[in-house]
Amino acid sequence: MSRKGVLIIGHGSNYRYNEHIMELQRQRLQGMGFEDVYIGYNEMSKPSIEESLSKMIADGINEVIAMPFFVASGLHMERDIPPKLFLKNGEHDKNIEVDGKKLVMHFGEPFGNDPLLTEILKEKASELGASSDSAIIIVGHGSKLPYNKEVVMENAKRLSKMGISNVYYAFNEFNRPTIEEVIDEIIKGDICEIIVLPLFISKGDHLINDIPPKIHLTDGACECTFEHDGKMITVRYAEPIGEDPRLTDLFATKIRSYWV
């Protein structure tokens, strides 16, 4: 008899924010009726993917639904995580053997271009008081692979189609335009208010240490005003998207597709 279990895969971080998001998702999924829900991290945080997989097997799980809580695919999704699930790159459903026991492995996809991400970003911009006079910057992590850039660009395109003016996109690393390039472009024009929307699951080193100085924020502030060529520019910095409960709903829908 098959006993299914869910393995939520997080990135991991030296900070505790990612762990909070993963635990929140686990509790929500359990509240939806998914009894056997485990968490595993790709790096830095514990338990690791391998440790959680071994725990699932010891607990009698013989069918694993491994769901990455990631915005987009990238090197972690293609290179790092599959071997930890005993999969080769490109494999998503396979009979495997771990710790001397046979089980079925299902490896799901990240959120990718789901329109829900755009809805969440739109609401975050509205919460920060965005208007037709504001510039909106969707900030992505960036990647040596094209997936993250494609997701960020698609969300910017969707926001524009929703009637939101002055939508830009930028990347923290690897891709262009950079955050600094976009900020410089905006402040040279007539816009005096910038809303920065990080398309990230949770806070971590990038959102806490890398991005703020690039958008003129210091000391943990999420808003600031600075002067440029005689005009005052206001910057507001949104929270990442990972706590939104609708992501759990989307996650549950993905999991149920394997629950047959």
Side-chain angles (χ1 to χ4, degrees):
M1 181 177 177
S2 176
R3 181 180 170 188
K4 295 180 175 67
V6 177
L7 176 61
I8 307 173
I9 298 175
H11 182 283
S13 173
N14 290 323
Y15 296 87
R16 299 302 299 273
Y17 301 104
N18 193 242
E19 294 175 24
H20 164 72
I21 294 295
M22 294 301 107
E23 179 60 27
L24 183 62
Q25 300 307 320
R26 185 182 71 84
Q27 292 176 7
R28 286 175 177 166
L29 287 172
Q30 288 177 328
M32 293 177 175
F34 298 101
E35 295 182 3
D36 297 308
V37 183
Y38 299 74
I39 298 170
Y41 295 96
N42 182 52
E43 58 186 18
M44 293 179 276
S45 300
K46 292 289 186 178
S48 67
I49 294 171
E50 298 94 326
E51 289 168 341
S52 290
L53 190 55
S54 290
K55 180 68 166 59
M56 294 177 81
I57 293 167
D59 289 346
I61 304 296
N62 55 20
E63 187 168 357
V64 176
I65 302 168
M67 298 299 299
F69 205 65
F70 282 61
V71 168
S73 190
L75 287 175
H76 293 313
M77 286 289 300
E78 294 206 355
R79 179 193 65 191
D80 301 338
I81 296 175
K84 298 174 183 180
L85 299 174
F86 295 83
L87 300 174
K88 296 179 181 178
N89 184 18
E91 292 181 332
H92 287 272
D93 301 279
K94 187 178 182 181
N95 294 322
I96 63 172
E97 184 172 320
V98 184
D99 297 343
K101 296 184 179 181
K102 295 181 179 180
L103 70 150
V104 179
M105 176 63 67
H106 305 288
F107 184 31
E109 298 285 351
F111 293 115
N113 277 322
D114 195 284
L116 176 60
L117 300 186
T118 315
E119 291 291 339
I120 294 172
L121 292 173
K122 180 182 178 183
E123 291 179 15
K124 287 187 173 294
S126 179
E127 289 167 2
L128 293 180
S131 70
S132 59
D133 296 324
S134 307
I136 310 294
I137 309 175
I138 300 176
V139 174
H141 181 286
S143 174
K144 293 178 181 178
L145 298 179
Y147 309 111
N148 184 260
K149 184 171 185 177
E150 290 171 357
V151 169
V152 172
M153 292 173 63
E154 180 62 26
N155 277 277
K157 185 187 301 183
R158 286 195 188 124
L159 278 183
S160 295
K161 288 182 178 179
M162 289 176 178
I164 297 178
S165 306
N166 309 312
V167 180
Y168 299 79
Y169 58 85
F171 301 92
N172 183 54
E173 57 185 358
F174 301 121
N175 299 123
R176 297 186 69 177
T178 67
I179 297 169
E180 296 95 328
E181 287 169 343
V182 173
I183 289 286
D184 287 345
E185 178 184 348
I186 292 170
I187 64 178
K188 289 176 182 177
D190 298 327
I191 293 174
C192 296
E193 181 178 71
I194 302 171
I195 308 292
V196 180
L197 305 175
L199 192 52
F200 283 66
I201 288 295
S202 66
K203 287 184 179 178
D205 193 46
H206 296 311
L207 266 65
I208 294 172
N209 296 318
D210 296 348
I211 295 174
K214 297 176 182 180
I215 58 176
H216 298 264
L217 294 178
T218 58
D219 302 324
C222 59
E223 182 175 342
C224 74
T225 301
F226 63 95
E227 184 177 357
H228 176 78
D229 284 350
K231 69 175 181 180
M232 303 306 294
I233 309 290
T234 297
V235 176
R236 297 191 178 94
Y237 188 34
E239 293 289 314
I241 65 172
E243 286 198 19
D244 195 291
R246 289 168 295 180
L247 289 180
T248 315
D249 296 334
L250 180 57
F251 221 36
T253 299
K254 289 175 177 287
I255 292 168
R256 289 190 185 104
S257 69
Y258 296 97
W259 221 267
V260 293

